Amino acid sequence: MQICRCDVNIVHHLPMVPYIPTRLLKGLKVIPVLILLYLILYYLLVRFPDLERPRYRPQRIVNYVCPSSDHGQEYEHYETFSQNESALTESRILVLLENVLSRHGRLITHMLNASKCPYKIDTFSKNLPLLTTSTHGRYSTIIIENFNRYLNLPKWNRQLLDKYSQDYKVPIVSFLPGRAQFFSNSKVRGMNLTIWHNQKALNIRFSPSSIIPYIARPNVILPFPVSDGREWTLFEDSINFESVVVVEDIEGKRRAAVIRDKGSVDGVEKIIFGHNLTEWIIGMGFIDALRWSTKCRCGCHSLDRFIQIDIDDIFVGARGTRMTSDDVEALIQSQDKLRNRISNFSYLLGYSGAFFLHGDDLEDEGDRMIIEKAANFMWFPHMWKHNHPQDHNESFLESTMIMNKQFGEMNNLRVPFEYAISPQHGGVYPVHTALFNAWKKVWGVKVTSTEEYPHFRPWGKRKGFIHRGIEVLPRQTCGLYTHTQLFHLYPGGIKKLTSLIEGGDLFWTIALNPISIFMTHQQNYAHDRLAPYTFENVISFLECWTRFRLRWEDPISVADRYFHLFPTEKNPIWGNPCMDERHRSILPPTLNCSNLTLPNLLVVGPQKTGTTALSSFLQLHPDVSTNRILENTFEEIQFFSGENYEKGFDWYRQLFNNGSSKIVMDKSATYWDSTEGPMRAFALIPFAKIVVILHDPILRAYSWYNHLVARNESIVRGLSMEDVLNGDTPAAKKIRSRCISGGRYAHHLDRWLQWFPPSQFHLIDGSELKENPSEVVTNLARWLQLSPFDFQSLIKFNPKKGFYCKIVSGHSSCLGASKGRSYPPISPILSSRLCSIFHNDNIALHKMLLNHNFPVPTWLSSSLNQC
Ligand SMILES: Nc1ncnc2c1ncn2[C@@H]1O[C@H](COP(=O)(O)OS(=O)(=O)O)[C@@H](OP(=O)(O)O)[C@H]1O
């Protein structure tokens, strides 16, 4: 024990030195050496980062050179058009394709979309689509993908098409590309036209004497097209035709690659292309042909092209990717160069102040240089820390915007316009209203832009809209992204970039949009400076081949110009953000796509046909639900057809988050005859089933009249329906149109069919619904693939009401007093008058139903024979 205590004491008095093996001690001597090495490396790599990240000197890439042309002379033979000339037809274009999946068909529709031309696609079948309404032609131009199909049409269809073209002065635009056959020539039957198949085309140019070239500058010679194989069809000169595009064949003989048939032989004007749209020069001819054939109702803008180039992310970006002072100088020079070619041009620079001086030494010097030269540019605010607005609430957004604003003020960044851009488009679309509110409060923002509305792809379909008083312009991409700084690393190679410029997407973006707003990033102006190269060259290409006048205008004026040109875009069209991958990634956290419920069944009307009865009967099925009723909505929510649409996607979707039924229904009978209804519905719920009740329009009109009488509306007080039909006061006309216009079924059904495929429609005969509702609803439930349900025992005739009613808890429960009124039966005189009013529409409806294999209601078959 003693020994033990003693040992303890000894240990207490020893100094606390840990045991270190000698080997380790030797090793520790290396530490100062390592520290020294680290310091040297730090000094070299961090203080002189250029050693770590090589800076690329700007590459010299050959600039675009315009081939030979007699540029001095301006040829302006293009036609101008008056409104009267176009009055015979609607502006829509009919596109007849080989099949809906045809590749060339996709090119045609891409061009039409990007030119914002309305069109309808059809394929060749036994019957031609309906070409006329009772008053006018349905189409301003007929595009036929393959001219051979036109030449080989059955006699009856060919006569019908030619007659339509002659009567309504509607030209045919078509294509005759090379055939699989070997080099040969042939005469086209009935056209006095000799064509040469499978040719090479050289020295291609637009003819200065043709009336077609408008955007295209005649007499600029393209020695070789991009693909110079033998896929051209060439036409021999003839007095019956005007050569639009002239070429030389391999023997140097002059031929035409595009001709205008003046219709001198058969009265049918045509433009025939000897190549498809894969050649950009043919594409230009196509755009000009559309302008001419639609009599300036498609692609008919002035020759002014407004170009805005935004440079986002100033001060943002990883070290080694940012601009140096040399790049800043080069940016100023590039701006000066562009100013000589785009009148009033200025780059617009968007800054995020939080990252000022966050680069390496050279880049920090660049940052300081930008501030020093700030007055050379116009500025707009990006977000302070490049924040994604959709992730933040209004007060956070406001406070960070204020910080960015203060940074700009301290550094004299001139923000002359109420224009701002959100990083990665977050919050602009899909809309995050907090961003719009904060922008307005802090910066008074009036205009912004996004490439996400309605979708990023295809670029040709981007649009603008106005939300909370802020005008949102469509923004275009030019093929440059934050990572594209070096020519040799350009995705797809430098050839890809030049192909965008020389007749590719970038060229077409400017050619087809009167206003183009491009997004670039400061990185595209560093290293190889891809952006200045890209824009300077696309401008050269445009100057060479087109007659455009290139201009710059401030974003506020440009936005006014845009919505003046495209007023129908002012109101946003709400889409389902959960159906777009890019949109899903920029959603506010309040929207959870996994439990989003939207209707999959629309009962669209028409009004007064029994829509309320149908929807209440269908809801007897346990797997059918409908919207919640809000205090300020009436019986129907009428989202797609009225003011509620302005309340937006969020408002609408919240009305349906009340269950998980198989069928979620929105019954709003006003959708039927709403001009925008079908398009809006398709944008949000493209897979929804559509139910339409076709009740005799005579009885429907009479029901409307009696509705007004029952409500004691002053306009009908003391007046019979005949009096109302005779009245010519504005109020009487309004009532008449309410009674009659919804009953022009062919007209409205046609509009729905422009959006939804026939397979999504279920048409119900209104008389059958009245007489035998349980069978009608059972059929509907079957079509909706609902489980079998005994409707018959729950829908019984109520003699007192005179209509079928639901049985609820053993009692008859009828619709309210406003549905199924009793009033005197319609007089034979009124009935026959209404019969003749609807006669033409009923004929058109009958044709349309047969065309689409829809059932024909019994009242329709008999009414055709009656009036
Ligand atoms: N079972 C049943 N009960 C009541 N009413 C029935 C029924 N079946 C069809 N109808 C006919 O429906 C007409 C009203 O049509 P809607 O419901 O579409 O009208 S509304 O547009 O929603 O106001 C209504 O028009 P009126 O008779 O003029 O009142 C009825 O004729």
Side-chain angles (χ1 to χ4, degrees):
M1 288 294 287
Q2 198 60 21
I3 294 166
C4 188
R5 207 180 289 145
C6 181
D7 281 344
V8 169
N9 284 340
I10 290 166
V11 170
H12 268 252
H13 288 97
L14 276 175
M16 296 287 283
V17 179
Y19 168 73
I20 303 170
T22 352
R23 257 172 137 212
L24 185 61
L25 262 176
K26 275 186 191 164
L28 282 177
K29 285 183 193 157
V30 186
I31 288 178
V33 181
L34 285 176
I35 291 174
L36 196 69
L37 253 174
Y38 171 78
L39 284 175
I40 293 169
L41 279 174
Y42 172 81
Y43 198 66
L44 287 176
L45 297 181
V46 180
R47 301 297 299 158
F48 291 112
D50 286 358
L51 291 179
E52 181 200 22
R53 307 177 193 90
R55 281 211 94 80
Y56 286 83
R57 297 183 67 76
Q59 299 286 303
R60 291 275 159 263
I61 298 285
V62 185
N63 285 321
Y64 182 74
V65 181
C66 185
S68 65
S69 73
D70 54 355
H71 250 164
Q73 190 157 356
E74 282 302 335
Y75 305 94
E76 289 185 354
H77 291 150
Y78 55 82
E79 276 184 88
T80 47
F81 298 93
S82 72
Q83 286 233 305
N84 292 349
E85 286 176 270
S86 53
L88 288 174
T89 69
E90 291 171 20
S91 357
R92 213 162 15 137
I93 294 169
L94 175 65
V95 187
L96 289 172
L97 297 180
E98 289 277 48
N99 60 65
V100 276
L101 300 174
S102 101
R103 268 187 71 199
H104 191 226
R106 282 211 296 272
L107 280 180
I108 294 173
T109 51
H110 173 69
M111 285 289 207
L112 293 174
N113 287 329
S115 311
K116 300 189 196 259
C117 300
Y119 64 89
K120 179 183 157 89
I121 290 184
D122 221 312
T123 49
F124 283 95
S125 60
K126 211 169 74 207
N127 297 319
L128 283 177
L130 282 182
L131 297 174
T132 54
T133 68
S134 49
T135 51
H136 53 264
R138 285 168 180 266
Y139 305 105
S140 60
T141 292
I142 296 175
I143 297 176
I144 299 178
E145 183 190 359
N146 181 351
F147 194 60
N148 287 312
R149 293 300 292 263
Y150 165 79
L151 294 173
N152 296 320
L153 270 177
K155 199 171 163 202
W156 166 249
N157 277 345
R158 171 78 179 267
Q159 278 172 354
L160 203 73
L161 199 58
D162 284 358
K163 181 143 177 35
Y164 175 73
S165 171
Q166 291 150 3
D167 290 355
Y168 293 90
K169 301 197 179 350
V170 169
I172 290 173
V173 173
S174 193
F175 299 83
L176 241 188
R179 293 204 235 143
Q181 260 172 302
F182 197 59
F183 183 86
S184 67
N185 71 336
S186 58
K187 263 196 169 314
V188 177
R189 194 162 23 106
M191 278 185 73
N192 211 2
L193 166 70
T194 303
I195 54 178
W196 297 81
H197 306 291
N198 297 63
Q199 300 285 298
K200 250 187 176 181
L202 307 170
N203 294 334
I204 307 170
R205 68 195 162 89
F206 282 87
S207 162
S209 51
S210 167
I211 61 165
I212 302 301
Y214 174 68
I215 64 168
R217 187 188 287 282
N219 268 356
V220 192
I221 297 167
L222 181 67
F224 302 100
V226 177
S227 54
D228 62 345
R230 289 192 161 203
E231 69 265 338
W232 293 75
T233 296
L234 302 182
F235 308 93
E236 211 160 275
D237 270 351
S238 146
I239 47 156
N240 293 323
F241 308 107
E242 169 190 299
S243 298
V244 180
V245 171
V246 279
V247 303
E248 282 167 21
D249 67 9
I250 38 169
E251 289 169 10
K253 286 202 192 104
R254 187 193 136 110
R255 303 261 186 251
V258 181
I259 52 163
R260 180 170 79 95
D261 174 350
K262 299 173 200 161
S264 40
V265 176
D266 57 4
V268 180
E269 290 194 280
K270 306 175 198 78
I271 297 191
I272 311 170
F273 290 79
H275 197 285
N276 59 27
L277 293 175
T278 44
E279 283 294 344
W280 61 267
I281 198 159
I282 291 292
M284 276 215 292
F286 180 64
I287 293 301
D288 282 344
L290 288 179
R291 175 188 177 273
W292 172 81
S293 67
T294 60
K295 300 180 183 59
C296 218
R297 286 184 293 169
C298 164
C300 196
H301 305 295
S302 82
L303 288 166
D304 292 326
R305 287 294 178 274
F306 291 85
I307 298 175
Q308 177 179 318
I309 304 172
D310 292 350
I311 309 179
D312 287 4
D313 294 354
I314 298 287
F315 308 127
V316 184
R319 283 174 169 205
T321 68
R322 300 159 58 124
M323 287 198 287
T324 64
S325 46
D326 280 354
D327 297 326
V328 179
E329 291 287 4
L331 181 63
I332 295 172
Q333 283 164 20
S334 160
Q335 180 170 261
D336 289 342
K337 272 194 221 163
L338 290 176
R339 268 181 192 160
N340 290 331
R341 305 163 79 185
I342 305 174
S343 63
N344 296 328
F345 179 78
S346 194
Y347 281 121
L348 286 183
L349 273 56
Y351 71 95
S352 297
F355 300 111
F356 180 58
L357 299 184
H358 274 50
D360 59 33
D361 279 1
L362 288 176
E363 291 165 342
D364 287 352
E365 208 181 291
D367 280 5
R368 284 188 209 98
M369 174 75 109
I370 298 179
I371 297 292
E372 197 186 315
K373 305 271 180 181
N376 285 274
F377 303 108
M378 300 206 199
W379 294 82
F380 64 85
H382 218 32
M383 293 291 284
W384 169 241
K385 278 194 169 179
H386 205 255
N387 318 71
H388 296 158
Q390 72 276 12
D391 298 335
H392 304 287
N393 63 23
E394 198 170 317
S395 56
F396 177 89
L397 293 173
E398 233 183 280
S399 60
T400 48
M401 281 180 195
I402 288 169
M403 284 197 263
N404 213 26
K405 191 170 190 185
Q406 284 167 349
F407 172 88
E409 282 164 357
M410 262 164 47
N411 290 292
N412 298 323
L413 306 185
R414 193 160 53 106
V415 179
F417 313 113
E418 297 91 346
Y419 178 69
I421 288 297
S422 155
Q424 293 175 0
H425 312 274
V428 178
Y429 193 80
V431 161
H432 181 43
T433 302
L435 170 68
F436 284 70
N437 291 344
W439 259 346
K440 283 206 323 201
K441 257 195 210 159
V442 179
W443 287 101
V445 167
K446 291 183 180 153
V447 177
T448 182
S449 57
T450 182
E451 59 192 18
E452 293 296 339
Y453 175 75
H455 300 284
F456 181 68
R457 285 203 179 83
W459 64 259
K461 281 189 171 178
R462 290 182 203 164
K463 289 191 168 94
F465 68 96
I466 303 178
H467 181 64
R468 298 257 156 167
I470 294 186
E471 295 175 304
V472 183
L473 294 173
R475 201 163 144 119
Q476 311 297 339
T477 25
C478 53
L480 300 176
Y481 304 92
T482 35
H483 63 277
T484 38
Q485 299 144 31
L486 300 166
F487 284 109
H488 70 278
L489 293 183
Y490 189 84
I494 181 68
K495 265 199 164 170
K496 171 86 183 154
L497 180 62
T498 42
S499 74
L500 293 178
I501 295 169
E502 297 170 19
D505 281 359
L506 180 56
F507 162 75
W508 282 115
T509 299
I510 299 175
L512 299 179
N513 288 302
I515 294 162
S516 299
I517 297 182
F518 290 105
M519 177 185 67
T520 60
H521 306 90
Q522 59 91 8
Q523 285 89 340
N524 308 134
Y525 298 80
H527 290 284
D528 275 357
R529 301 172 194 157
L530 262 68
Y533 167 85
T534 303
F535 286 107
E536 285 161 29
N537 279 280
V538 78
I539 301 300
S540 300
F541 192 82
L542 287 157
E543 282 173 344
C544 173
W545 289 100
T546 71
R547 288 189 172 120
F548 293 135
R549 295 177 293 262
L550 303 177
R551 303 177 59 180
W552 181 91
E553 199 172 42
D554 69 83
I556 309 300
S557 314
V558 121
D560 289 347
R561 185 180 291 279
Y562 184 88
F563 288 106
H564 181 72
L565 282 172
F566 307 112
T568 53
E569 289 186 20
K570 284 182 183 170
N571 295 325
I573 310 293
W574 305 115
N576 177 353
C578 297
M579 281 170 69
D580 181 310
E581 210 183 307
R582 290 173 62 99
H583 292 172
R584 272 206 303 274
S585 66
I586 49 173
L587 282 180
T590 45
L591 177 57
N592 180 352
C593 286
S594 61
N595 62 14
L596 172 70
T597 307
L598 286 172
N600 53 9
L601 174 67
L602 292 182
V603 177
V604 299
Q607 288 175 298
K608 298 287 155 210
T609 57
T611 53
T612 320
L614 180 77
S615 74
S616 87
F617 294 153
L618 187 64
Q619 282 177 72
L620 287 167
H621 195 289
D623 229 356
V624 176
S625 71
T626 188
N627 52 282
R628 280 189 291 122
I629 300 292
L630 292 183
E631 260 173 43
N632 50 359
T633 57
F634 302 103
E635 182 181 294
E636 301 177 338
I637 39 178
Q638 304 185 349
F639 179 67
F640 298 113
S641 55
E643 282 168 14
N644 282 339
Y645 193 70
E646 282 163 32
K647 296 184 177 150
F649 165 75
D650 242 30
W651 179 85
Y652 186 60
R653 64 145 180 131
Q654 282 172 26
L655 297 177
F656 295 94
N657 60 359
N658 55 345
S660 55
S661 337
K662 182 169 178 189
I663 293 296
V664 180
M665 170 174 61
D666 169 5
K667 174 290 220 199
S668 296
T670 48
Y671 292 165
W672 169 249
D673 51 349
S674 144
T675 319
E676 278 141 350
M679 175 262 291
R680 287 173 172 176
F682 185 77
L684 188 60
I685 40 176
F687 303 112
K689 305 259 166 75
I690 311 292
V691 170
V692 181
I693 303 174
L694 295 178
H695 191 35
D696 187 341
I698 298 174
L699 300 178
R700 182 195 165 276
Y702 190 52
S703 168
W704 247 117
Y705 163 77
N706 281 295
H707 174 74
L708 298 173
V709 173
R711 285 177 46 165
N712 198 18
E713 298 265 344
S714 56
I715 182 67
V716 292
R717 219 170 284 153
L719 296 180
S720 67
M721 186 157 182
E722 282 92 331
D723 295 334
V724 172
L725 293 177
N726 291 336
D728 62 357
T729 61
K733 281 183 184 161
K734 197 171 156 202
I735 296 298
R736 191 163 58 227
S737 128
R738 236 166 150 187
C739 295
I740 305 297
S741 69
R744 298 196 189 281
Y745 293 153
H747 174 71
H748 302 296
L749 183 59
D750 189 38
R751 202 181 34 232
W752 279 94
L753 283 165
Q754 278 170 39
W755 295 97
F756 289 88
S759 58
Q760 279 171 240
F761 285 82
H762 184 79
L763 305 190
I764 289 174
D765 181 335
S767 325
E768 274 177 27
L769 173 66
K770 218 170 194 171
E771 304 305 327
N772 193 357
S774 48
E775 192 179 317
V776 167
V777 184
T778 304
N779 287 341
L780 173 59
R782 195 177 306 125
W783 182 71
L784 293 170
Q785 296 181 341
L786 286 165
S787 55
F789 185 76
D790 182 11
F791 286 104
Q792 197 157 12
S793 62
L794 290 177
I795 302 173
K796 297 281 181 207
F797 189 74
N798 181 322
K800 204 166 153 209
K801 175 84 177 172
F803 282 91
Y804 280 83
C805 302
K806 285 190 293 192
I807 305 295
V808 180
S809 311
H811 298 286
S812 178
S813 164
C814 300
L815 296 179
S818 64
K819 314 284 153 151
R821 292 190 173 98
S822 44
Y823 39 79
I826 190 164
S827 73
I829 299 175
L830 176 59
S831 175
S832 102
R833 178 155 180 201
L834 287 167
C835 195
S836 48
I837 289 178
F838 289 116
H839 187 60
N840 285 342
D841 301 280
N842 282 346
I843 293 176
L845 175 68
H846 190 251
K847 258 194 206 169
M848 195 178 278
L849 296 180
L850 292 181
N851 255 0
H852 289 100
N853 280 331
F854 287 140
V856 177
T858 36
W859 61 261
L860 179 58
S861 313
S862 46
S863 86
L864 291 182
N865 306 323
Q866 273 168 20
C867 334

